[in-house]
Amino acid sequence: MTHVNAPRDGTVTQIDAARAGTVTRQMEAVARKEGRDPEFIREGVAAGRIAIPANIHHTSLSPEGVGGGLHTKVNVNLGISGDLANEAEEWKKVDVALELGAEAIMDLSNSGKTAAFRRALIEKSPAMIGTVPLYDAIGYLEKPLVGITAADFLNVVRAHAEDGVDFVTIHAGMNRRVIESFRETGRLTNIVSRGGSLIFAWMEATGNENPFYEFYDEVLAILHEHDCTISLGDAMRPGSTYDATDAGQIAELIEIGKLTRRAWDAGVQVMVEGPGHMALDEIAANMKLEKRLCHDAPFYVLGPLVTDIAPGYDHITAAIGGAVAAAAGADFLCYVTPAEHLRLPDAADVREGLVATKIAAHAADIAKGVPGARDRDNRMSDARRRVDWEGMFAEALDPVRARAYFESAPPSTDGTCTMCGEMCAMRTVNQIMNGLTIDLGKE
């Protein structure tokens, strides 16, 4: 990387380099993956339309680009809780995430001393790693929430950045103005963001402004030093379709738009987090609204979940919303598992949630014409035409599941499956095209 116009801390971030006209090795890697010219990537990073979360300490990282004109990326959430602190199970989830090609893993551990797991994850993972430092604050500092100071919060952010976290969720947009709007208008499900609820409780208990908003410049200085991307968390995301696109959500989004500009001015890359629960007909408008208010910054959405009544199947409700959101402009989908709203997911839930979200992301990429998005589908279709089972498994999002289904019911007619057997359309037409006589029912 060429050190041009280096800030006082000596670090040149991806956005610093891009604005100076330099194509970094991370930009080159993203260009290769995306089939794009490196200059396209550099221009996108310089403008803030593309982020490449790549902490200078994450040496095992295989860089990914998130933003306009690129493939939709998918994140997997994992991490221990106070009730289920089984680190071995979390490593199983990591293995599933990496096996199925998740581009990001967020460690949302929120109980006890979490640094050892986080550092080991960063050392192992080629996927970008995200965290919510606020979740770690109580265990890290060994203080009750009300006893934590603004300086304490900043120290936890610094610890995560120093460990090599590529992006951190910071709920800086929920300031006093946003809370006033929330109180005036009310909600059915109030504040459902875990980080948002903690900040709200801290603000109410202390009477102080949101520390991440009040000391935002200090947060940015920490992130710049390690080239850690800020993911501006949506503390006011709707937790029900009833609350979607309400005054609290939009008031916070307006503040996030301002914070986006300030981060870019400080040489820090930005992603913006979004809803949440949202009726199908509101999703596209929300994507356009975020792009407008947040100056085309990459948009990272949780779902959205398009109905509230499907516990046990929320990976499906989220995949429906995610496909619509990404087709309308969202750049990054956070997966949702069948365990959402019910319990901490296990490794099997992670597989279900990740594949569902990968389907949504890929469907959206086809819809919005991302270069190369259809190539894999075309290869799959060609393999199906040729009844090439190994070729089909090779192109499947989850080849393990596909092979297991096929092999669980062996067909009596070679080269077919038990759905159609000797009446397989592909087999019949292939035989005709090859000049063979077809006599169904006789072998």
Side-chain angles (χ1 to χ4, degrees):
M1 183 185 296
T2 303
H3 287 249
V4 181
N5 297 326
R8 283 175 295 179
D9 64 18
T11 303
V12 174
T13 64
Q14 296 295 319
I15 195 169
D16 289 335
R19 289 172 172 171
T22 300
V23 174
T24 66
R25 61 178 178 82
Q26 290 86 356
M27 295 176 203
E28 291 174 346
V30 169
R32 286 193 298 272
K33 289 182 177 182
E34 299 285 345
R36 291 285 195 175
D37 187 275
E39 184 62 15
F40 175 87
I41 304 300
R42 186 201 65 77
E43 289 179 353
V45 174
R49 294 189 305 271
I50 294 173
I52 304 177
N55 189 306
I56 60 175
H57 308 299
H58 188 178
T59 56
S60 63
L61 177 69
S62 178
E64 297 286 352
V66 180
L70 308 182
H71 289 87
T72 305
K73 305 307 185 296
V74 174
N75 171 69
V76 163
N77 287 341
L78 48 80
I80 65 171
S81 71
D83 289 322
L84 286 175
N86 185 342
E87 188 172 318
E89 182 68 19
E90 299 313 306
W91 283 114
K92 291 180 184 177
K93 299 177 190 178
V94 171
D95 290 340
V96 170
L98 297 179
E99 171 200 340
L100 293 174
E103 290 87 4
I105 297 172
M106 288 198 78
D107 174 18
L108 304 186
S109 297
N110 59 60
S111 177
K113 297 297 185 181
T114 61
F117 176 74
R118 179 172 65 250
R119 290 167 185 162
L121 178 60
I122 292 166
E123 182 179 2
K124 172 180 179 174
S125 175
M128 52 187 165
I129 301 301
T131 60
V132 186
L134 180 61
Y135 294 174
D136 191 33
I138 295 174
Y140 177 86
L141 297 165
E142 298 182 329
K143 291 182 179 182
L145 180 65
V146 295
I148 298 175
T149 66
D152 289 333
F153 284 125
L154 296 184
N155 285 336
V156 180
V157 173
R158 182 177 291 105
H160 282 229
E162 289 175 347
D163 282 346
V165 172
D166 299 298
F167 64 96
V168 287
T169 295
I170 302 292
H171 298 89
M174 188 181 68
N175 57 24
R176 286 288 175 193
R177 288 188 294 272
V178 172
I179 288 177
E180 182 180 354
S181 179
F182 159 62
R183 287 189 177 282
E184 287 178 353
T185 56
R187 272 188 162 182
L188 179 61
T189 48
N190 291 322
I191 297 172
V192 301
S193 160
R194 184 162 57 190
S197 69
L198 293 172
I199 288 292
F200 177 73
W202 186 88
M203 293 171 69
E204 292 295 295
T206 64
N208 295 328
E209 178 58 279
N210 179 345
F212 296 116
Y213 178 79
E214 185 175 2
F215 299 101
Y216 188 61
D217 290 338
E218 287 83 347
V219 171
L220 295 177
I222 294 168
L223 301 184
H224 186 276
E225 182 179 354
H226 306 279
D227 198 359
C228 183
T229 298
I230 189 168
S231 189
L232 287 164
D234 54 335
M236 296 301 297
R237 71 170 180 267
S240 60
T241 54
Y242 183 90
D243 291 336
T245 325
D246 71 349
Q249 178 195 333
I250 302 306
E252 183 184 38
L253 189 62
I254 291 170
E255 298 295 332
I256 287 174
K258 300 173 188 176
L259 296 173
T260 296
R261 286 280 196 200
R262 288 174 60 186
W264 287 340
D265 289 345
V268 174
Q269 297 183 103
V270 177
M271 298 188 294
V272 174
E273 297 186 13
H277 293 235
M278 184 164 287
L280 202 64
D281 63 319
E282 295 181 53
I283 294 173
N286 269 262
M287 302 307 105
K288 293 179 180 179
L289 187 62
E290 183 276 342
K291 292 290 184 178
R292 178 67 179 86
L293 291 177
C294 299
H295 323 292
D296 283 329
F299 201 19
Y300 174 27
V301 298
L302 177 65
L305 281 71
V306 295
T307 180
D308 305 320
I309 61 170
Y313 300 91
D314 275 330
H315 60 311
I316 298 174
T317 64
I320 294 169
V324 175
D331 307 291
F332 193 11
L333 302 181
C334 185
Y335 89 152
V336 172
T337 77
E340 185 78 6
H341 300 112
L342 301 172
R343 62 166 170 80
L344 193 72
D346 61 20
D349 297 322
V350 169
R351 179 175 288 274
E352 293 291 324
L354 177 52
V355 172
T357 308
K358 294 279 283 186
I359 293 169
H362 183 67
D365 288 347
I366 292 173
K368 58 188 176 185
V370 173
R374 288 182 181 269
D375 292 353
R376 191 170 178 180
D377 297 79
N378 293 341
R379 292 193 299 270
M380 173 66 86
S381 297
D382 181 64
R384 283 176 171 156
R385 175 183 59 80
R386 293 181 287 105
V387 200
D388 175 4
W389 293 102
E390 291 302 321
M392 292 182 230
F393 300 148
E395 300 300 337
L397 283 173
D398 185 352
V400 173
R401 173 72 64 88
R403 184 183 294 277
Y405 266 99
F406 176 71
E407 294 180 349
S408 68
S412 58
T413 303
D414 287 343
T416 68
C417 73
T418 55
M419 174 67 77
C420 298
E422 65 176 8
M423 296 178 67
C424 171
M426 297 296 191
R427 174 176 178 268
T428 298
V429 175
N430 286 345
Q431 289 178 337
I432 293 172
M433 298 297 286
N434 289 327
L436 301 177
T437 300
I438 305 301
D439 188 7
L440 295 179
K442 296 180 180 180
E443 291 296 329

